[in-house]
Amino acid sequence: MFDPYPLLQQQRNFFATGATRPESFRRQQLAKLATAIKKHEAAVIEALHQDCRKPPLESFGSEVLLTLSELQYGLKHLRGWMRPQRVGTPASQFRSTAVIYPEPKGIVLIVGPWNYPFQLVLVPLIGAIAAGNCAVLKPSEHAPATSALLAKLVAETFDPAFVAVVEGGIPENQALLAEPWDHLFFTGGTAIGRIVMAAAAKHLTPVTLELGGKSPCIVDGTIDLAIAAKRIAWGKFINCGQTCIAPDYILVAEAVKEPLVAALRQVLGQFYGAQIEHNPDYGRIINQRQFDRLVALLPEATGEGVLRFGGRHRREDLFLEPTLVDDLHFTSKLMAEEIFGPILPILTYQCLEEVVTQVRSHPKPLALYIFSQD
């Protein structure tokens, strides 16, 4: 059975030395991470293809380049983040001065997801290092090739007393969550987010949760539909729809619904061609569990909606075609929870007041997109 206590104690001892506090140390560690990412760039892209069938350009842009950009930003702003800030004092504290000093928290646990298994582990690490903390990284077991690569990259780059990777599945996650941390960073689904928050509450551990949601995409009658369709299709179907800020559903003015559907169909043909399953620029669903969940949402399974494009699927290859579904309502099964896959429901509205009412009647989404010239 995995016991994280020795690793945590090792990191607590290292943190207590004060070694992580100087700007020079933090800057040096961020620079080392950037060097390691560049060194392993080809291996990262290959691992992501093994795990998710991600196209190389997509892997580079959304995982490697994004992480390097965050590193560059961190190095540029590090000194300002660390600078003490003078603040005002109330009259009752007359003649006193007040200063806020940014302080490292200590030992941080970062639990990463499977959809962007490289950058959504390392980007939070950049923040942890910049703030002067030690960190334990737990990559997703559903992206095993990327998890193994992260373990190798981190072991080559950092002393485990400063940054370490723990691989594994549910037992390792449970063992890590049972420990007291100084901060906990989790990216993933809402259901697991509740488990993480409950575990953290036992130790009064502060948490950062990034959980996704049903992000609406609102299209009115004033926009250039060809441009809107291209941008919606890119945002929805990159990474096979497995992106937390992807448009989850469209709310389109009823008068322009049919032209928008036609524009989306045309754009998808331009993006992926007639034989989408053979296009190397289109990825796959992460595993059979997620595949089965998504197929169960298609009109053929639910009896709800009309298929306007796509819908073809093949379980042995985890292939699910970009899919447009029309003639739905907010009570439809597709609208019950975040889709997190390449299925795009299209709903209509008559007036903007309907849109406001419907969006506000549901939990606040992670993102909201508006296509309008108004």
Side-chain angles (χ1 to χ4, degrees), residues 122-141:
L122 293 187
V123 169
L125 175 63
I126 294 166
I129 292 174
N133 300 294
C134 298
V136 173
L137 314 180
K138 173 57 184 66
S140 173
E141 68 273 23

Side-chain angles (χ1 to χ4, degrees), residues 20 33 38 46 92 128 192 226 228 245 248 298 321 355:
T20 66
L33 181 57
K38 292 172 184 175
E46 174 58 30
S92 61
I192 305 300
I245 58 170
D248 190 88
L298 294 173
E321 195 172 28
V355 174

Side-chain angles (χ1 to χ4, degrees), residues 3 11 28 76 78 85-86 121 148 170-171 178 197 199 247 252 258 264-265 270 286 314 319 343:
D3 180 10
Q11 291 206 347
Q28 180 187 44
K76 179 180 179 180
L78 179 60
Q85 178 185 359
R86 288 284 296 270
V121 170
I170 292 175
M197 196 165 190
V252 58
E258 286 302 325
L264 284 167
R265 291 167 59 96
Q270 292 172 349
I286 186 69
R314 190 169 58 249
F319 167 74
I343 306 172

Side-chain angles (χ1 to χ4, degrees), residues 246-265:
D248 190 88
Y249 63 96
I250 292 177
L251 269 171
V252 58
E254 188 166 348
V256 295
K257 183 196 76 171
E258 286 302 325
L260 177 64
V261 171
L264 284 167
R265 291 167 59 96

Side-chain angles (χ1 to χ4, degrees), residues 40-316:
H40 291 280
E41 179 184 314
V44 171
I45 291 172
E46 174 58 30
L48 290 166
H49 188 266
Q50 289 182 39
D51 288 331
C52 322
R53 290 279 291 276
K54 286 195 181 189
L57 183 61
E58 184 179 310
S59 292
F60 176 76
S62 65
E63 304 256 15
V64 176
L65 184 61
L66 192 150
T67 308
L68 290 173
S69 297
E70 291 286 332
L71 274 164
Q72 185 179 31
Y73 186 89
L75 287 165
K76 179 180 179 180
H77 293 276
L78 179 60
R79 183 166 298 171
W81 292 339
M82 295 180 65
R83 188 177 297 124
Q85 178 185 359
R86 288 284 296 270
V87 293
T89 54
S92 61
Q93 305 297 319
F94 178 65
R95 295 188 64 83
S96 68
T97 58
V99 182
I100 296 175
Y101 291 91
E103 286 283 317
K105 286 192 170 184
I107 312 302
V108 177
L109 173 63
I110 298 170
V111 182
W114 49 259
N115 60 325
Y116 291 92
F118 185 76
Q119 63 105 335
L120 286 179
V121 170
L122 293 187
V123 169
L125 175 63
I126 294 166
I129 292 174
N133 300 294
C134 298
V136 173
L137 314 180
K138 173 57 184 66
S140 173
E141 68 273 23
H142 299 299
T146 307
S147 177
L149 179 65
L150 281 166
K152 180 176 184 290
L153 184 153
V154 168
E156 290 178 357
T157 307
F158 302 115
D159 184 334
F162 174 52
V163 180
V165 170
V166 172
E167 292 192 272
I170 292 175
E172 287 74 18
N173 278 322
Q174 291 175 336
L176 289 167
L177 290 174
E179 296 292 332
W181 301 88
D182 299 306
H183 195 89
L184 203 160
F185 193 107
F186 171 77
T187 306
T190 303
I192 305 300
R194 292 191 178 97
I195 295 172
V196 170
M197 196 165 190
K202 294 178 181 178
H203 303 289
L204 297 180
T205 299
V207 298
T208 301
L209 303 177
E210 195 274 89
L211 305 178
K214 289 190 78 65
S215 299
C217 183
I218 300 161
V219 183
D220 74 5
T222 68
I223 196 69
D224 183 325
L225 293 176
I227 293 175
K230 184 175 289 188
R231 293 175 179 175
I232 293 168
W234 180 86
K236 175 63 178 180
F237 299 110
I238 188 174
N239 199 25
C240 214
Q242 299 165 121
T243 303
C244 57
I245 58 170
D248 190 88
Y249 63 96
I250 292 177
L251 269 171
V252 58
E254 188 166 348
V256 295
K257 183 196 76 171
E258 286 302 325
L260 177 64
V261 171
L264 284 167
R265 291 167 59 96
Q266 182 177 7
V267 164
L268 288 170
Q270 292 172 349
F271 279 7
Y272 303 115
Q275 299 295 321
I276 298 179
E277 62 268 36
H278 301 306
N279 191 314
D281 291 327
Y282 187 70
R284 294 295 185 269
I285 306 303
I286 186 69
N287 55 38
Q288 290 187 343
R289 177 175 172 270
Q290 293 297 325
F291 178 89
D292 292 341
R293 178 186 65 82
L294 289 165
V295 169
L297 296 174
L298 294 173
E300 64 185 59
T302 62
E304 298 177 321
V306 174
L307 199 63
R308 299 300 300 272
F309 184 91
R312 292 182 296 176
H313 50 87
R314 190 169 58 249
R315 193 172 191 266
E316 59 271 21

Side-chain angles (χ1 to χ4, degrees), residues 216-223 225 232 249-258 260 326-330 345-359 368-374:
C217 183
I218 300 161
V219 183
D220 74 5
T222 68
I223 196 69
L225 293 176
I232 293 168
Y249 63 96
I250 292 177
L251 269 171
V252 58
E254 188 166 348
V256 295
K257 183 196 76 171
E258 286 302 325
L260 177 64
D326 188 12
D327 196 23
L328 291 164
H329 305 280
F330 273 93
I346 301 171
L347 292 84
T348 61
Y349 70 88
Q350 295 282 351
C351 61
L352 281 175
E353 286 74 16
E354 291 180 54
V355 174
V356 174
T357 300
Q358 289 289 2
V359 172
L368 182 146
Y369 303 96
I370 299 178
F371 289 86
S372 174
Q373 296 289 351
D374 186 343

